[in-house]
Amino acid sequence: DIQMTQSPSSLSASVGDRVTITCRASQSISRYLNWYQQKPGKAPKLLIYATSSLQSGVPSRFSGSGSGTDFTLTISSLQPEDFATYYCQESYSTPRTFGQGTKLEIK
Amino acid sequence: EVKLVESGGGLVQPGGSLRLSCAASGFTFSGFWMSWVRQGPGKGLEFVANIKQDGSEKYYVDSVKGRFTISRDNAENSLYLQMNSLRAEDTAVYYCAMGGASHGQFAYWGQGTLVTVSS
């Protein structure tokens, strides 16, 4: 199975900060990488698919990049509603492995 | 508006069985792969199973193979997960998700249903 490793596991930041979360795959997954946001007690929400395509309705301050094994999610200017846990997920193979999550907290 | 509503969760003893259902609306159900994803208490997300539009292909995470069965009824716009021989480690919130095809994404998620396996 492909292993997905996110870093950092947790991150403290302030409103207005630029934040980057990294996801690394144990083997090449081309650009088959998705990002989700999850708030406490809620279902995950798709933010970005196929590395860099923004899901409909997601603010443009979210962006994604990468290919092969290394990927990043960037939030250009943190808003109060962005404090949540973020997961990457590969869709290159079965099982569709998720990263362990990055918890983004208010500084 | 896409809507996915799970039901069927609850408390079950180890070794017991449970059948989860997911009622879909707001999209052409028969046109999409569907999936189950779970999240243990305080843990991350784990893919459980997915099923092709016509039910001809199904895939499972190793830990549930032989115990869980995913199925669908396109006439009823419903997705199911039959869970047998349940273990404590199956305790989780189970989410129904639209998508899960190869090279695809989980585009929409239900609110989840809690399964607790405990004596």
Side-chain angles (χ1 to χ4, degrees):
Chain A
D1 295 356
I2 297 174
Q3 306 303 313
M4 306 299 292
T5 304
Q6 286 180 236
S7 60
S9 295
S10 64
L11 174 60
S12 293
S14 301
V15 172
D17 284 353
R18 180 183 180 89
V19 166
T20 297
I21 298 169
T22 296
C23 181
R24 175 164 288 175
S26 59
Q27 66 182 73
S28 177
I29 58 171
S30 185
R31 290 175 57 86
Y32 299 113
L33 190 284
N34 311 306
W35 291 96
Y36 302 85
Q37 176 194 66
Q38 187 179 34
K39 296 181 179 178
K42 299 294 186 182
K45 171 188 171 185
L46 176 66
L47 295 177
I48 289 173
Y49 60 96
T51 295
S52 58
S53 295
L54 208 60
Q55 173 72 343
S56 176
V58 174
S60 59
R61 62 181 180 273
F62 291 92
S63 63
S65 64
S67 68
T69 60
D70 295 312
F71 302 86
T72 58
L73 171 70
T74 299
I75 310 172
S76 61
S77 179
L78 272 174
Q79 297 303 301
E81 60 268 29
D82 299 338
F83 292 94
T85 300
Y86 293 85
Y87 294 93
C88 64
Q89 175 248 330
E90 62 85 12
S91 55
Y92 183 82
S93 67
T94 297
R96 312 277 189 248
T97 312
F98 291 86
Q100 81 279 13
T102 295
K103 188 173 184 179
L104 179 52
E105 298 175 304
I106 302 173
K107 184 183 286 184
Chain B
E1 178 196 4
V2 172
K3 197 169 182 183
L4 299 167
V5 179
E6 302 94 336
S7 59
L11 174 64
V12 61
Q13 292 188 339
S17 297
L18 215 52
R19 189 194 196 208
L20 305 184
S21 299
C22 171
S25 61
F27 65 102
T28 305
F29 180 76
S30 59
F32 291 88
W33 280 73
M34 294 295 296
S35 303
W36 289 99
V37 177
R38 66 184 178 184
Q39 186 169 35
K43 296 187 176 179
L45 301 168
E46 180 184 38
F47 167 85
V48 175
N50 61 358
I51 184 169
K52 194 177 180 180
Q53 290 92 327
D54 61 359
S56 61
E57 294 182 37
K58 304 174 185 181
Y59 300 96
Y60 300 89
V61 67
D62 283 350
S63 59
V64 308
K65 282 180 183 174
R67 300 189 300 122
F68 289 13
T69 302
I70 189 172
S71 62
R72 65 192 296 162
D73 184 336
N74 287 341
E76 295 292 327
N77 292 339
S78 293
L79 177 72
Y80 305 101
L81 186 67
Q82 177 67 43
M83 304 186 294
N84 299 330
S85 302
L86 282 160
R87 306 167 180 167
E89 54 265 35
D90 296 318
T91 294
V93 174
Y94 284 73
Y95 294 103
C96 164
M98 172 186 162
S102 179
H103 304 169
Q105 59 275 358
F106 302 115
Y108 295 95
W109 300 60
Q111 84 290 349
T113 187
L114 177 62
V115 172
T116 304
V117 184
S118 174
S119 54

